[in-house]
Amino acid sequence: NQGPVNPTIGTITNMVTIVSGVVSVINSQGYTVLGEDAESDYDFRIRRDRSTGNQSGNNADTILGQILSLEGVKQCTVWVNDTNSTDDTSTPAHTLWVIVDGGANTEIADIIYDNKGGCGTRGSVTVPVITVSNQTLNINFDRPTTQSLYIKFDIQVVGDVTLISQNGIKQYISDNLNYQIGEDAETSKITQVCANAMLNDGGQGFALNIQISDDGTTW
């Protein structure tokens, strides 16, 4: 079955494809990778818009589009400081700052090198690239770090309150609420995910008085 289907342990016992020497099968442990829902029209439009950057005349857009097309890349953001001084992101003058989640270091570095023009590069990951003139040029970029967030809110139930499972809502939000690289942790996304969580349980409602914390103590 397609999508985020979490089968109950011990329930997969029917061998569809017979393999010589295998007499039985069973899912004795939980999943290692959970499936995903089909790509939404909204996500497809974003991916398509980004992919057109492959042919862009703008170096940053070209780098973004090509890196996003690499196998294993989940997210990428490209920041360029084309001013003569360090900007408020601490990116030095005339420097590219690329942050990538997933993908191979060498492939990412090759794309940056091919499209960076005369810009420098910033980041804690350093990959040496051999130039056509047989020089070694260090290409730098960053990997994102994960920040755990804590949220709390009140639930306004619409309809039958017995259809609402607090544990089910918590698990759904934990599985589905993610912010992208550099994205502000604002509350509108929580409102939508919470509503979907209640619908997933068979109930209906919405979140009120949403608060977000990065330590679970300070709100």
Side-chain angles (χ1 to χ4, degrees):
N1 295 325
Q2 296 182 346
V5 180
N6 182 8
T8 303
I9 293 176
T11 59
I12 300 179
T13 57
N14 182 32
M15 293 178 61
V16 176
T17 302
I18 304 301
V19 179
S20 177
V22 179
V23 296
S24 65
V25 295
I26 189 169
N27 59 321
S28 59
Q29 300 180 11
Y31 66 86
T32 54
V33 178
L34 190 64
E36 298 179 354
D37 288 322
E39 186 177 36
S40 67
D41 290 342
Y42 174 77
D43 290 336
F44 169 74
R45 287 194 296 269
I46 291 178
R47 181 168 61 84
R48 182 189 179 282
D49 288 345
R50 285 176 169 175
S51 68
T52 57
N54 289 340
Q55 289 76 40
S56 172
N58 180 294
N59 288 5
D61 290 344
T62 301
I63 291 172
L64 177 63
Q66 291 187 10
I67 289 178
L68 286 172
S69 69
L70 291 176
E71 182 178 357
V73 171
K74 301 175 182 177
Q75 301 178 51
C76 177
T77 183
V78 179
W79 179 262
V80 57
N81 177 12
D82 60 359
T83 69
N84 293 321
S85 59
T86 300
D87 64 16
D88 55 9
T89 70
S90 299
T91 302
H94 306 292
T95 297
L96 281 166
W97 185 22
V98 180
I99 307 173
V100 190
D101 182 8
N105 285 356
T106 53
E107 292 181 329
I108 294 168
D110 285 342
I111 289 174
I112 297 173
Y113 168 71
D114 289 341
N115 298 281
K116 76 182 190 69
C119 288
T121 58
R122 171 192 178 188
S124 59
V125 178
T126 301
V127 180
V129 174
I130 306 300
T131 70
V132 292
S133 58
N134 204 35
Q135 296 180 2
T136 300
L137 179 66
N138 287 330
I139 298 297
N140 303 294
F141 62 92
D142 270 326
R143 296 295 191 178
T145 55
T146 301
Q147 171 67 61
S148 296
L149 294 177
Y150 303 82
I151 63 174
K152 65 180 180 179
F153 52 86
D154 300 322
I155 296 176
Q156 177 64 58
V157 178
V158 178
D160 188 352
V161 69
T162 62
L163 296 176
I164 299 297
S165 165
Q166 291 192 28
N167 288 334
I169 292 171
K170 290 177 182 179
Q171 188 61 53
Y172 185 95
I173 292 174
S174 178
D175 292 340
N176 293 276
L177 178 61
N178 292 287
Y179 292 95
Q180 304 299 304
I181 296 173
E183 181 181 1
D184 290 334
E186 41 75 37
T187 60
S188 62
K189 179 174 285 190
I190 298 174
T191 301
Q192 182 59 55
V193 172
C194 183
N196 292 341
M198 284 183 267
L199 287 172
N200 187 66
D201 268 351
Q204 189 174 357
F206 50 89
L208 297 173
N209 305 318
I210 298 171
Q211 297 184 65
I212 305 175
S213 170
D214 61 3
D215 60 8
T217 302
T218 306
W219 300 90

